[in-house]
Amino acid sequence: DIDHLNLRVQKELVEWLNWLKADIGFDGWRFDFAKGYSADVAKIYIDRSEPSFAVAEIWTSLAYGGDGKPNLNQDQHRQELVNWVDKVGGKGPATTFDFTTKGILNVAVEGELWRLRGTDGKAPGMIGWWPAKAVTFVDNHDTGSTQHMWPFPSDRVMQGYAYILTHPGTPCIFYDHFFDWGLKEEINRLVSVRTRHGIHSESKLQIIEADADLYLAEIDGKVIVKLGPRYDVGNLIPAGFKVAAHGNDYAVW
C-alpha cells in the first residue's frame, strides 16, 4: 500500500508526474481507485503537476431496490462524484468517470428506457447535474473485457455509444469495442456526427420521450437520437432532420 498522507510519498509522486509531463509528454492523469485516498490528496497531485486533464475512477455501488434493479433515483451516487470534483477544484481540470450513467444505461437498454429521464426531467447520471465534469463510458477494462465485472449487455453496446456520443459529457470509447469487436466504422459514424455538429460536454439536452421501448432526445437543436425497438417515430422528428447514423435499435438524425 502507498501512504498518500506521507509527505515524502507526495513529493516523489509529484516529481514523477512532472517528469512524465515534461520528459515523456503525457498531459493528463487517470486516478485509479480514487476512493482509496482523499480528494484532498488528489488535489495536491493535480495542483502541483498542472495536467490539462484528469479523471478519477470512483466506483461505488448504485442504490438498488428489492427487485435487484437500480432505483430510479440515484442522486446519492452521483452526488459522491460531484463532491470529489468539488473538493479537488471544480474550476480545474478534474473530472470523474460517470459510473451513475453507466449503471443506469446497463439496465435501461434492456427494455426500461424510461430510466433515462430522471425525476427532474434531465439525464439521470452525473451528466444531468455537471456534464462538464463527467466522463461517460459504456465499458472499461474492469467492467468489460476479460474481467467482466459489470459488463454492458453485449448485444446492445451500440445503443450505449449512440447515447454517450450524442449526449453532454466527455465520452470515452473502449479499446476492445473499437478494435476487437468490429464496431470501429459504426462508432466512427457517431463520432463524426458529434464532431460535425459541435456537440460538447456542456451541450443542451432536451428529452422528448422516455418510455419502455423508446428514448428520444434532441441535443443543441442539431442532433436527435433514438434508442429502442419502437420503429414509427416519424411524427416526433422535426422537419429538416435526416438520418445520419443507424444500427440495431438506434438511429441518429
Side-chain angles (χ1 to χ4, degrees):
D1 291 348
I2 296 175
D3 180 7
H4 288 280
L5 297 178
N6 184 299
L7 294 181
R8 181 182 171 187
V9 168
Q10 292 178 7
K11 178 177 177 291
E12 291 186 356
L13 277 174
V14 167
E15 287 174 354
W16 178 63
L17 290 172
N18 281 313
W19 173 78
L20 286 171
K21 186 178 166 189
D23 289 22
I24 307 300
F26 287 106
D27 62 355
W29 317 133
R30 176 190 183 275
F31 289 92
D32 193 50
F33 192 63
K35 65 179 183 178
Y37 46 94
S38 74
D40 295 327
V41 169
K43 178 176 172 57
I44 289 170
Y45 298 144
I46 290 173
D47 288 352
R48 296 180 187 174
S49 65
E50 298 185 341
S52 61
F53 179 76
V55 59
E57 180 204 38
I58 304 166
W59 185 0
T60 57
S61 179
L62 298 180
Y64 288 88
D67 58 358
K69 292 185 178 182
N71 295 336
L72 179 61
N73 186 321
Q74 295 293 337
D75 287 357
Q76 185 176 344
H77 192 267
R78 55 180 171 172
Q79 186 66 55
E80 192 172 353
L81 302 177
V82 166
N83 289 347
W84 188 91
V85 176
D86 260 335
K87 288 179 182 175
V88 172
K91 292 182 179 178
T95 65
T96 63
F97 286 111
D98 191 349
F99 276 93
T100 318
T101 290
K102 151 73 173 167
I104 293 169
L105 263 178
N106 267 23
V107 181
V109 297
E110 301 273 32
E112 300 181 5
L113 291 165
W114 49 267
R115 292 178 176 275
L116 297 180
R117 176 159 52 195
T119 52
D120 58 1
K122 299 178 181 179
M126 187 182 178
I127 59 170
W129 279 0
W130 203 356
K133 296 296 183 177
V135 175
T136 52
F137 67 103
V138 175
D139 264 327
N140 63 28
H141 63 285
D142 290 322
T143 67
S145 195
T146 52
Q147 297 204 60
H148 221 61
M149 291 168 71
W150 199 28
F152 203 85
S154 59
D155 58 337
R156 290 172 165 80
V157 160
M158 283 307 305
Q159 286 188 59
Y161 281 110
Y163 184 89
I164 70 170
L165 289 171
T166 57
H167 277 53
T170 301
C172 186
I173 297 167
F174 185 35
Y175 181 101
D176 291 24
H177 294 156
F178 196 73
F179 291 106
D180 300 339
W181 286 37
L183 300 176
K184 184 175 181 178
E185 287 186 20
E186 211 172 339
I187 290 172
N188 268 338
R189 277 196 291 274
L190 293 170
V191 171
S192 65
V193 169
R194 185 180 185 89
T195 305
R196 191 162 62 243
H197 294 285
I199 305 302
H200 55 88
S201 64
E202 297 183 88
S203 285
K204 184 184 177 186
L205 172 66
Q206 180 195 353
I207 298 171
I208 301 168
E209 190 72 61
D211 212 342
D213 63 343
L214 173 67
Y215 172 79
L216 195 69
E218 187 174 306
I219 302 89
D220 283 348
K222 300 175 182 177
V223 171
I224 294 176
V225 60
K226 184 211 85 158
L227 305 182
R230 192 185 302 180
Y231 184 76
D232 187 16
V233 296
N235 60 315
L236 298 173
I237 309 299
F241 280 85
K242 296 179 180 179
V243 174
H246 64 90
N248 185 28
D249 287 345
Y250 79 88
V252 178
W253 289 262

